[in-house]
Amino acid sequence: MSIGTAENGRFSSAGPAGVPRHDWTRAEVRDLFHQPFPDLIFQAQSVHRANFDATEIQVSTLLSIKTGGCPEDCAYCPQSAKFDTGVKAEKLMDIDAVLHEARAAKQAGASRFCMGAAWRSPKERDLDKVCAMIEGVRALGMETCVTLGMLTGPQARRLKQSGLDYYNHNLDTSPEYYGQIITTRTYQNRLDTLEHVRDAGIHVCCGGIVGMGESADDRVGMIATLASLPVHPESVPINMLVQVEGTPLSSGEKFDAIEFVRTIAAARITMPRSMVRLSAGREDMTDEMQALCFLAGANSIFYGPKLLTTPNPAADHDKRLMDRLGLRPME
Ligand code: SF4
């Protein structure tokens, strides 16, 4: 007998209305993942509909404001200076150029503008410029998100003062598998940055990547860790690895689409009020796979031709897909 059906009475593992819980055990999350696919999707849809309009998709645009030359060694990342991927190190963009991109994103329908910099952590003079970018983007009437690497408490508070809405900092994978992917900073470093961000009153965007050679139990561990944070991240990006030539993860079998959809569903059920973002890797997904992800509770995407340095579906393709599925951008 599966869990997750109304009949067996265990549907309330997330609460029928999807009331957030923070005490998820790995055994519970494992049971969620491995239940029959129809039960899993039904449960995820039920939780989704209890908390969101299932026809609305939040649309964000992501701009790389400082590309390449990063001293960290994240094995999936083409921007690490440790790998020869052809990505050139660039300087931090000018504020005017960033605002020009933000205006174009707004016109294309994005409600949130995310800015990413390939740093281990920001330097003080760089933070001044980023704060000015945040103020400029907010003045356009958009939500702001930045990802700048590790933050101290005072840095998080400065970003908050500039009006920052969200800070992205992913856990990437399970605590056990993490050391296979990154050696230049620890899982605890990441948790500390998340705590500084949360303490500063900034919303948290935090998720992970699947398809990096991790086990099914590592995916369970990643979701259980995210769902056990004291407050669930308001945004949970679930990325599928993009295999980039020159990185240590450039080869290997393509990740199983059904297992990816299961990961989305588990995120939706365990973090019922979070925006679950179908993030990197959409370029390699069929329209049908993306539709399944939306059915499993994904309700956020990135619009725009590039995600930092990797390709993303063209905006007009996304618009057509949303039309075909009867989905519309969230205001
Ligand atoms: S993921 Fe971020 S921190 Fe890691 S190498 Fe890439 S840019 Fe640097």
Side-chain angles (χ1 to χ4, degrees):
M1 187 70 176
S2 68
I3 75 158
T5 56
E7 301 85 68
N8 65 15
R10 296 182 65 190
F11 182 75
S12 59
S13 57
V19 176
R21 284 178 45 197
H22 302 269
D23 57 351
W24 287 96
T25 66
R26 289 207 181 189
E28 284 177 302
V29 177
R30 194 175 296 119
D31 283 350
L32 276 183
F33 258 89
H34 298 318
Q35 65 185 312
F37 196 69
D39 291 347
L40 176 65
I41 298 298
F42 175 70
Q43 185 176 1
Q45 259 291 303
S46 303
V47 171
H48 192 181
R49 284 170 182 272
N51 292 282
F52 294 98
D53 180 335
T55 63
E56 286 189 345
I57 301 289
Q58 190 267 329
V59 177
S60 299
T61 290
L62 174 61
L63 175 70
S64 178
I65 57 172
K66 193 275 163 206
T67 303
C70 182
E72 303 287 299
D73 69 351
C74 310
Y76 51 82
C77 182
Q79 301 202 68
S80 169
K82 305 205 187 293
F83 316 134
D84 187 8
T85 62
V87 172
K88 293 208 173 58
E90 293 172 11
K91 289 198 300 199
L92 181 61
M93 283 176 73
D94 285 333
I95 296 168
D96 287 348
V98 171
L99 295 184
H100 175 79
E101 296 288 339
R103 273 184 219 102
K106 187 178 181 188
Q107 276 199 334
S111 58
R112 188 181 306 168
F113 193 66
C114 309
M115 295 170 271
W119 289 322
R120 174 172 167 81
S121 55
K123 296 193 179 67
E124 295 309 304
R125 66 168 188 278
D126 294 326
L127 210 56
D128 289 339
K129 276 180 87 173
V130 173
C131 286
M133 291 172 191
I134 292 166
E135 284 164 15
V137 173
R138 284 207 99 214
L140 298 174
M142 301 178 85
E143 286 185 320
T144 52
C145 177
V146 295
T147 179
L148 313 172
M150 290 186 286
L151 291 185
T152 62
Q155 286 178 325
R157 290 194 287 279
R158 257 182 86 196
L159 288 166
K160 173 67 182 173
Q161 277 163 12
S162 72
L164 182 66
D165 298 292
Y166 287 81
Y167 193 84
N168 164 264
H169 201 61
N170 291 335
L171 288 179
D172 283 355
T173 185
S174 69
E176 294 78 15
Y177 194 62
Y178 181 86
Q180 304 289 314
I181 301 298
I182 299 133
T183 66
T184 48
R185 67 173 104 163
T186 65
Y187 213 72
Q188 188 58 47
N189 290 150
R190 293 190 182 243
L191 292 168
D192 291 346
T193 291
L194 291 174
E195 198 177 320
H196 296 321
V197 169
R198 182 65 76 191
D199 287 349
I202 301 168
H203 294 321
V204 170
C205 171
C206 181
I209 308 173
V210 299
M212 299 193 293
E214 76 283 346
S215 67
D217 237 34
D218 287 317
R219 289 186 286 281
V220 168
M222 176 181 83
I223 295 294
T225 306
L226 288 166
S228 303
L229 289 171
V231 180
H232 291 162
E234 283 80 4
S235 279
V236 181
I238 303 292
N239 299 276
M240 179 138 92
L241 176 72
V242 178
Q243 296 176 333
V244 179
E245 204 58 48
T247 64
L249 298 180
S250 63
S251 58
E253 270 180 38
K254 288 273 180 213
F255 190 65
D256 177 54
I258 299 297
E259 191 62 20
F260 185 84
V261 177
R262 284 183 181 275
T263 310
I264 294 271
R268 164 53 62 225
I269 294 164
T270 54
M271 292 169 276
R273 295 189 181 156
S274 303
M275 310 296 294
V276 175
R277 180 174 302 140
L278 185 51
S279 210
R282 282 201 304 124
E283 175 80 350
D284 289 334
M285 296 177 196
T286 63
D287 288 351
E288 293 76 11
M289 177 178 170
Q290 292 186 63
L292 264 182
C293 290
F294 296 134
L295 268 180
N299 62 347
S300 174
I301 58 168
F302 277 124
Y303 245 178
K306 263 191 174 185
L307 278 187
L308 299 176
T309 59
T310 54
N312 198 43
D316 60 344
H317 182 97
D318 279 339
K319 282 204 175 94
R320 268 202 310 281
L321 176 60
M322 284 179 57
D323 283 348
R324 285 166 66 208
L325 298 175
L327 302 175
R328 59 201 156 83
M330 199 176 281
E331 289 297 321

